[in-house]
């Protein structure tokens, strides 16, 4: 195992919350996302059906609070949290290691969500692709009324 | 895939039950649709030369798309009255375009908490060789029967 690449400055970032910005959940965005996944439930496409089922508008499909929102708030071409993107990591390549979502309330078109993210842990490992750094992160998504409606837990692997 | 025509309820479910599988085979077109819908434009998902330049064998399917397939697997099982509380997976293996990706789930626990009827599952996608490339877990809220 080579020497640790986690600097004291990186350690200090653990737990520091950063506002990532605001993103809108839109009817077009929900439909586009549902179509890309291949969803067949009209609750993601037809507002009348969504309302008949008790929602204010189209339902955001599972994972919409996730990449589409993160890419709106983070900018750039790859949805890595800004906190992680700015780290000075000597490894050039990265992969998404995993994602989990927790939903506290249904998320629907018309919601405007503010994302707050933090790094929770660094882990170094020697894998089949060589030495790697795994950075664990969390994002909380709050609706315009302040209610946290969802959380995302993920990790990015640099190697 | 057609949606369930009958609502699955808490009383219907038993530990060990396998939920209906969801089968996909991503074309490169679907990967481009996902890139556009999600905003993830990392070139390893649509540019073969770029992908090989990073040491991969070729274009790979987005991990978050496979995660979204697991979201569809669960949604289709519990709709319309269930609520997807939590789901996620680790991206442990690569999947490639035009190869079958099957999403599956097995019930591991059913219990009540804060007045809600909850069901935990192990979920995963597997490739054509039967290898689990995205192992994960989920919790759903189901209506009582």
């Amino acid at each position: 195992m080579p020497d640790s690449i986690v600097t004291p400055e990186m350690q200090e970032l653990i737990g520091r919350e950063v506002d990532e910005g605001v993103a809108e959940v839109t009817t077009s965005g929900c439909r586009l996302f549902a179509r890309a996944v291949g969803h067949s439930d009209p609750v993601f496409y037809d507002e009348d059906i969504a309302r008949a089922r008790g929602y204010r508008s189209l339902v955001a499909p599972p994972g919409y609070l996730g990449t589409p929102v993160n890419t709106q708030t983070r900018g750039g071409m790859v949805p890595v949290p800004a906190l992680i993107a700015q780290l000075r990591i000597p490894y050039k390549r990265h992969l998404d290691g995993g994602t989990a979502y927790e939903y506290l309330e249904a998320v629907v078109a018309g919601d405007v969500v503010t994302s707050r993210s933090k790094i929770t842990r660094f882990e170094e490992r020697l894998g089949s692709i060589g030495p790697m750094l795994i950075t664990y992160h969390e994002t909380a998504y709050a609706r315009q009324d302040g209610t946290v409606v969802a959380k995302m837990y993920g990790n990015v692997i640099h190697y | 895939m057609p949606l369930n025509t009958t609502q699955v309820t808490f009383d219907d479910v038993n530990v060990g039950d396998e939920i209906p599988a969801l089968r996909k085979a991503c074309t490169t077109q679907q990967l481009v649709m996902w890139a556009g819908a999600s905003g993830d434009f990392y070139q390893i998902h649509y540019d073969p030369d770029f992908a090989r330049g990073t040491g991969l064998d070729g274009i790979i399917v987005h991990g978050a798309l496979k995660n979204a397939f697991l979201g569809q697997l669960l949604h289709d099982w519990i709709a319309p009255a269930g609520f997807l509380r939590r789901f996620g997976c680790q991206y442990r293996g690569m999947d490639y375009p035009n190869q079958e990706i099957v999403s599956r789930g097995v019930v591991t626990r059913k219990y009540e908490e804060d007045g809600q009827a909850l069901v935990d599952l192990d979920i995963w996608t597997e490739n054509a060789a039967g290898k689990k490339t995205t192992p994960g877990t989920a919790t759903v809220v189901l209506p009582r029967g």
Side-chain angles (χ1 to χ4, degrees):
Chain A
M1 190 77 205
D3 291 341
S4 174
I5 61 156
V6 180
T7 62
E9 291 77 18
M10 286 166 67
Q11 292 285 5
E12 278 177 23
L13 286 175
I14 293 173
R16 188 180 301 174
E17 286 201 348
V18 170
D19 241 320
E20 289 204 295
V22 175
E24 295 162 353
V25 180
T26 64
T27 51
S28 300
C30 290
R31 289 192 189 98
L32 187 66
F33 185 95
R35 185 173 168 226
V37 177
H39 275 287
S40 54
D41 190 340
V43 79
F44 302 125
Y45 301 98
D46 185 322
E47 283 189 276
D48 291 338
I49 287 175
R51 289 201 187 94
R53 279 166 54 177
Y55 300 101
R56 296 190 308 283
S57 182
L58 295 187
V59 174
Y64 185 99
L65 282 201
T67 321
V69 164
N70 299 342
T71 51
Q72 277 187 65
T73 56
R74 290 169 187 168
M77 291 289 126
V78 181
V80 174
L83 266 172
I84 297 177
Q86 75 193 18
L87 295 176
R88 300 180 66 172
I89 298 169
Y91 308 138
K92 294 281 173 267
R93 299 162 178 167
H94 74 266
L95 288 169
D96 190 349
T99 316
Y101 300 105
E102 185 182 351
Y103 297 102
L104 306 168
E105 291 194 19
V107 179
V108 299
D111 286 353
V112 179
V113 295
T114 302
S115 306
R116 284 179 72 77
S117 291
K118 62 184 174 188
I119 292 169
T120 53
R121 189 159 62 93
F122 293 109
E123 185 184 329
E124 290 179 274
R125 255 195 238 166
L126 193 55
S128 56
I129 48 179
M132 50 173 134
L133 172 70
I134 308 172
T135 307
Y136 293 86
H137 58 93
E138 274 181 36
T139 301
Y141 303 97
R143 204 169 47 201
Q144 59 267 45
D145 64 5
T147 308
V148 173
V149 289
K151 290 185 176 179
M152 181 185 119
Y153 305 87
N155 69 82
V156 177
I157 301 169
H158 285 87
Y159 65 103
Chain B
M1 188 182 107
L3 287 170
N4 287 335
T5 48
T6 54
Q7 174 66 51
V8 66
T9 67
F10 186 67
D11 299 327
D12 293 335
V13 173
N14 294 298
V15 171
D17 286 355
E18 205 173 317
I19 69 175
L22 176 70
R23 291 172 187 279
K24 303 276 189 181
C26 300
T27 56
T28 50
Q29 183 179 54
Q30 186 168 12
L31 299 189
V32 171
M33 287 169 69
W34 172 262
S38 72
D40 179 351
F41 295 103
Y42 194 17
Q43 299 94 317
I44 60 171
H45 303 298
Y46 58 84
D47 182 336
D49 291 338
F50 185 96
R52 283 191 287 269
T54 70
L56 296 167
D57 292 335
I59 292 171
I60 61 168
V61 176
H62 300 74
L65 176 56
K66 292 187 277 184
N67 201 14
F69 289 160
L70 293 172
Q72 183 183 1
L73 168 84
L74 295 159
H75 174 86
D76 287 353
W77 181 53
I78 66 175
F83 182 71
L84 181 52
R85 166 68 65 80
R86 189 181 61 79
F87 79 106
C89 63
Q90 296 296 311
Y91 306 130
R92 293 273 180 80
M94 312 288 179
D95 282 275
Y96 300 92
N98 304 312
Q99 296 183 4
E100 190 171 62
I101 298 171
V102 185
S103 301
R104 298 184 186 278
V106 171
V107 174
T108 55
R109 187 180 169 216
K110 57 182 287 191
Y111 53 106
E112 305 205 15
E113 199 175 274
D114 300 329
Q116 289 190 312
L118 302 176
V119 173
D120 288 348
L121 303 99
D122 281 339
I123 54 173
W124 68 92
T125 64
E126 60 190 39
N127 64 18
K131 181 176 185 274
K132 293 181 183 181
T133 54
T134 62
T137 56
T139 302
V140 300
V141 184
L142 290 180
R144 292 186 175 80

